[in-house]
CSV table of all heavy atoms in Angstrom, one decimal:
chain,number,residue,atom,x,y,z
A,210,CYS,N,245.4,-77.8,95.0
A,210,CYS,CA,244.3,-78.6,95.2
A,210,CYS,C,244.3,-79.3,96.5
A,210,CYS,O,245.4,-79.6,97.1
A,210,CYS,CB,244.1,-79.6,94.0
A,210,CYS,SG,244.0,-78.9,92.4
A,211,LEU,N,243.2,-79.7,97.0
A,211,LEU,CA,243.1,-80.5,98.2
A,211,LEU,C,243.0,-82.0,97.8
A,211,LEU,O,242.0,-82.4,97.3
A,211,LEU,CB,241.8,-80.1,99.0
A,211,LEU,CG,241.6,-81.0,100.3
A,211,LEU,CD1,242.6,-80.8,101.3
A,211,LEU,CD2,240.2,-80.7,100.8
A,212,PRO,N,244.1,-82.7,98.1
A,212,PRO,CA,244.1,-84.2,97.7
A,212,PRO,C,243.2,-85.0,98.7
A,212,PRO,O,243.3,-84.7,99.9
A,212,PRO,CB,245.5,-84.6,97.8
A,212,PRO,CG,246.1,-83.6,98.8
A,212,PRO,CD,245.4,-82.4,98.7
A,213,ILE,N,242.4,-85.8,98.2
A,213,ILE,CA,241.5,-86.7,99.0
A,213,ILE,C,241.9,-88.1,98.8
A,213,ILE,O,242.2,-88.5,97.6
A,213,ILE,CB,240.0,-86.5,98.6
A,213,ILE,CG1,239.6,-85.0,98.8
A,213,ILE,CG2,239.1,-87.4,99.4
A,213,ILE,CD1,238.2,-84.7,98.3
A,214,SER,N,241.9,-88.9,99.8
A,214,SER,CA,242.5,-90.2,99.8
A,214,SER,C,241.9,-91.0,98.7
A,214,SER,O,240.7,-91.1,98.5
A,214,SER,CB,242.2,-90.9,101.1
A,214,SER,OG,242.6,-92.3,101.1
A,215,ARG,N,242.7,-91.7,97.9
A,215,ARG,CA,242.3,-92.6,96.9
A,215,ARG,C,241.5,-93.8,97.4
A,215,ARG,O,240.6,-94.4,96.7
A,215,ARG,CB,243.5,-93.2,96.1
A,215,ARG,CG,243.2,-94.0,94.9
A,215,ARG,CD,244.4,-94.7,94.4
A,215,ARG,NE,245.4,-93.7,93.8
A,215,ARG,CZ,245.4,-93.4,92.5
A,215,ARG,NH1,244.6,-94.0,91.7
A,215,ARG,NH2,246.3,-92.5,92.1
A,216,ASN,N,241.7,-94.1,98.7
A,216,ASN,CA,240.9,-95.2,99.3
A,216,ASN,C,239.4,-95.0,99.4
A,216,ASN,O,238.6,-95.9,99.4
A,216,ASN,CB,241.5,-95.5,100.7
A,216,ASN,CG,242.9,-96.0,100.7
A,216,ASN,OD1,243.3,-96.6,99.7
A,216,ASN,ND2,243.6,-95.8,101.7
A,217,VAL,N,239.1,-93.7,99.4
A,217,VAL,CA,237.7,-93.3,99.5
A,217,VAL,C,236.9,-93.4,98.2
A,217,VAL,O,235.9,-94.0,98.1
A,217,VAL,CB,237.5,-91.9,100.1
A,217,VAL,CG1,236.1,-91.5,100.2
A,217,VAL,CG2,238.2,-91.8,101.5
A,218,PHE,N,237.5,-92.9,97.2
A,218,PHE,CA,236.8,-92.7,95.9
A,218,PHE,C,237.4,-93.6,94.8
A,218,PHE,O,237.1,-93.5,93.6
A,218,PHE,CB,236.8,-91.3,95.4
A,218,PHE,CG,236.2,-90.3,96.4
A,218,PHE,CD1,236.9,-89.3,97.0
A,218,PHE,CD2,234.9,-90.5,96.8
A,218,PHE,CE1,236.4,-88.4,97.9
A,218,PHE,CE2,234.3,-89.7,97.7
A,218,PHE,CZ,235.1,-88.6,98.3
A,219,GLN,N,238.3,-94.5,95.1
A,219,GLN,CA,238.9,-95.5,94.2
A,219,GLN,C,239.9,-94.8,93.2
A,219,GLN,O,241.0,-95.4,93.0
A,219,GLN,CB,237.8,-96.2,93.4
A,219,GLN,CG,238.3,-97.3,92.5
A,219,GLN,CD,237.3,-98.0,91.7
A,219,GLN,OE1,236.1,-97.7,91.8
A,219,GLN,NE2,237.6,-99.0,90.9
A,220,TYR,N,239.6,-93.6,92.7
A,220,TYR,CA,240.5,-92.9,91.9
A,220,TYR,C,241.0,-91.7,92.6
A,220,TYR,O,240.4,-91.2,93.6
A,220,TYR,CB,239.8,-92.5,90.6
A,220,TYR,CG,239.5,-93.7,89.7
A,220,TYR,CD1,238.1,-94.2,89.7
A,220,TYR,CD2,240.4,-94.4,89.0
A,220,TYR,CE1,237.8,-95.3,88.9
A,220,TYR,CE2,240.0,-95.5,88.2
A,220,TYR,CZ,238.7,-96.0,88.2
A,220,TYR,OH,238.4,-97.0,87.5
A,221,ALA,N,242.1,-91.1,92.1
A,221,ALA,CA,242.6,-89.8,92.7
A,221,ALA,C,241.5,-88.7,92.6
A,221,ALA,O,240.9,-88.5,91.5
A,221,ALA,CB,243.8,-89.4,91.9
A,222,CYS,N,241.3,-88.1,93.7
A,222,CYS,CA,240.2,-87.0,93.8
A,222,CYS,C,240.8,-85.8,94.4
A,222,CYS,O,241.6,-85.8,95.4
A,222,CYS,CB,239.0,-87.5,94.6
A,222,CYS,SG,237.7,-86.3,94.8
A,223,TYR,N,240.5,-84.6,93.8
A,223,TYR,CA,241.1,-83.3,94.3
A,223,TYR,C,240.0,-82.3,94.4
A,223,TYR,O,239.1,-82.2,93.5
A,223,TYR,CB,242.1,-82.8,93.3
A,223,TYR,CG,243.3,-83.7,93.1
A,223,TYR,CD1,243.3,-84.7,92.1
A,223,TYR,CD2,244.4,-83.6,94.0
A,223,TYR,CE1,244.4,-85.5,92.0
A,223,TYR,CE2,245.5,-84.4,93.8
A,223,TYR,CZ,245.5,-85.4,92.9
A,223,TYR,OH,246.6,-86.2,92.7
A,224,GLY,N,240.0,-81.6,95.5
A,224,GLY,CA,239.1,-80.4,95.7
A,224,GLY,C,239.8,-79.2,95.1
A,224,GLY,O,241.0,-79.0,95.4
A,225,ILE,N,239.1,-78.4,94.3
A,225,ILE,CA,239.6,-77.3,93.7
A,225,ILE,C,239.5,-76.0,94.6
A,225,ILE,O,238.4,-75.7,94.9
A,225,ILE,CB,239.0,-77.0,92.3
A,225,ILE,CG1,239.1,-78.3,91.4
A,225,ILE,CG2,239.6,-75.8,91.6
A,225,ILE,CD1,240.5,-78.8,91.2
A,226,THR,N,240.6,-75.4,94.9
A,226,THR,CA,240.6,-74.3,95.9
A,226,THR,C,240.8,-73.0,95.2
A,226,THR,O,240.6,-71.9,95.8
A,226,THR,CB,241.7,-74.5,96.9
A,226,THR,OG1,243.0,-74.5,96.3
A,226,THR,CG2,241.5,-75.8,97.7
A,227,LYS,N,241.3,-72.9,94.0
A,227,LYS,CA,241.6,-71.7,93.3
A,227,LYS,C,241.1,-71.8,91.8
A,227,LYS,O,240.9,-72.8,91.3
A,227,LYS,CB,243.1,-71.4,93.2
A,227,LYS,CG,243.8,-71.2,94.6
A,227,LYS,CD,245.3,-71.0,94.4
A,227,LYS,CE,245.5,-69.8,93.5
A,227,LYS,NZ,247.0,-69.5,93.4
A,228,PRO,N,240.8,-70.6,91.2
A,228,PRO,CA,240.4,-70.6,89.8
A,228,PRO,C,241.5,-71.1,88.9
A,228,PRO,O,242.7,-71.1,89.3
A,228,PRO,CB,240.1,-69.1,89.5
A,228,PRO,CG,239.9,-68.4,90.9
A,228,PRO,CD,240.8,-69.2,91.8
A,229,LYS,N,241.1,-71.6,87.8
A,229,LYS,CA,242.0,-72.3,86.9
A,229,LYS,C,243.0,-71.2,86.3
A,229,LYS,O,242.6,-70.0,86.2
A,229,LYS,CB,241.3,-73.0,85.8
A,229,LYS,CG,240.5,-72.1,84.8
A,229,LYS,CD,239.8,-72.9,83.8
A,229,LYS,CE,238.9,-72.0,82.9
A,229,LYS,NZ,238.1,-72.8,81.9
A,230,THR,N,244.2,-71.7,86.0
A,230,THR,CA,245.1,-70.9,85.2
A,230,THR,C,245.2,-71.4,83.8
A,230,THR,O,245.4,-72.6,83.6
A,230,THR,CB,246.5,-70.9,85.9
A,230,THR,OG1,246.4,-70.4,87.2
A,230,THR,CG2,247.5,-70.1,85.1
A,231,VAL,N,245.1,-70.5,82.8
A,231,VAL,CA,245.1,-70.9,81.4
A,231,VAL,C,246.5,-70.6,80.9
A,231,VAL,O,246.9,-69.4,80.9
A,231,VAL,CB,244.0,-70.3,80.6
A,231,VAL,CG1,244.1,-70.7,79.1
A,231,VAL,CG2,242.6,-70.6,81.2
A,232,MET,N,247.2,-71.5,80.3
A,232,MET,CA,248.5,-71.3,79.8
A,232,MET,C,248.6,-71.9,78.4
A,232,MET,O,247.8,-72.8,78.0
A,232,MET,CB,249.6,-72.0,80.7
A,232,MET,CG,249.5,-71.6,82.1
A,232,MET,SD,250.9,-72.2,83.1
A,232,MET,CE,252.1,-70.9,82.7
A,233,ARG,N,249.7,-71.5,77.7
A,233,ARG,CA,250.0,-72.1,76.4
A,233,ARG,C,251.1,-73.1,76.5
A,233,ARG,O,251.9,-73.0,77.5
A,233,ARG,CB,250.4,-71.1,75.4
A,233,ARG,CG,249.2,-70.1,75.0
A,233,ARG,CD,249.6,-69.2,73.8
A,233,ARG,NE,248.5,-68.4,73.4
A,233,ARG,CZ,247.5,-68.8,72.6
A,233,ARG,NH1,247.6,-70.0,72.0
A,233,ARG,NH2,246.5,-68.0,72.2
A,234,LYS,N,251.1,-74.1,75.7
A,234,LYS,CA,252.1,-75.1,75.7
A,234,LYS,C,253.5,-74.5,75.6
A,234,LYS,O,253.7,-73.5,74.8
A,234,LYS,CB,251.9,-76.2,74.6
A,234,LYS,CG,250.6,-77.0,74.8
A,234,LYS,CD,250.5,-78.0,73.7
A,234,LYS,CE,249.2,-78.8,73.9
A,234,LYS,NZ,248.9,-79.7,72.8
A,235,GLY,N,254.5,-75.1,76.3
A,235,GLY,CA,255.8,-74.5,76.3
A,235,GLY,C,256.1,-73.7,77.5
A,235,GLY,O,257.2,-73.4,77.9
A,236,GLN,N,255.0,-73.3,78.3
A,236,GLN,CA,255.2,-72.5,79.5
A,236,GLN,C,255.3,-73.5,80.7
A,236,GLN,O,255.5,-73.0,81.8
A,236,GLN,CB,254.0,-71.6,79.7
A,236,GLN,CG,253.9,-70.5,78.7
A,236,GLN,CD,252.7,-69.6,79.0
A,236,GLN,OE1,251.6,-69.9,78.6
A,236,GLN,NE2,253.0,-68.4,79.6
A,237,PHE,N,255.2,-74.8,80.5
A,237,PHE,CA,255.3,-75.7,81.6
A,237,PHE,C,256.0,-76.9,81.2
A,237,PHE,O,256.2,-77.2,80.0
A,237,PHE,CB,253.9,-76.1,82.2
A,237,PHE,CG,253.1,-76.9,81.3
A,237,PHE,CD1,253.1,-78.3,81.4
A,237,PHE,CD2,252.4,-76.3,80.2
A,237,PHE,CE1,252.3,-79.0,80.5
A,237,PHE,CE2,251.7,-77.1,79.3
A,237,PHE,CZ,251.6,-78.4,79.5
A,238,VAL,N,256.5,-77.7,82.1
A,238,VAL,CA,257.2,-79.0,81.8
A,238,VAL,C,256.5,-80.1,82.5
A,238,VAL,O,256.4,-80.1,83.7
A,238,VAL,CB,258.7,-78.9,82.3
A,238,VAL,CG1,259.4,-80.2,82.0
A,238,VAL,CG2,259.4,-77.8,81.7
A,239,PRO,N,256.0,-81.1,81.7
A,239,PRO,CA,255.3,-82.2,82.4
A,239,PRO,C,256.2,-83.1,83.2
A,239,PRO,O,257.4,-83.2,83.0
A,239,PRO,CB,254.8,-83.1,81.2
A,239,PRO,CG,254.9,-82.1,80.0
A,239,PRO,CD,256.0,-81.2,80.3
A,240,ILE,N,255.7,-83.7,84.3
A,240,ILE,CA,256.4,-84.6,85.1
A,240,ILE,C,255.8,-86.0,84.8
A,240,ILE,O,254.7,-86.2,85.0
A,240,ILE,CB,256.2,-84.2,86.6
A,240,ILE,CG1,256.9,-82.9,86.9
A,240,ILE,CG2,256.8,-85.3,87.5
A,240,ILE,CD1,256.8,-82.5,88.4
């Protein structure tokens, strides 16, 4: 994603550059 400064939109804003990936739980680890 393209991160856009939080100072502009108050909250974190991201531009989406790629189609979404659909996964099932257990295939990733949260940070």
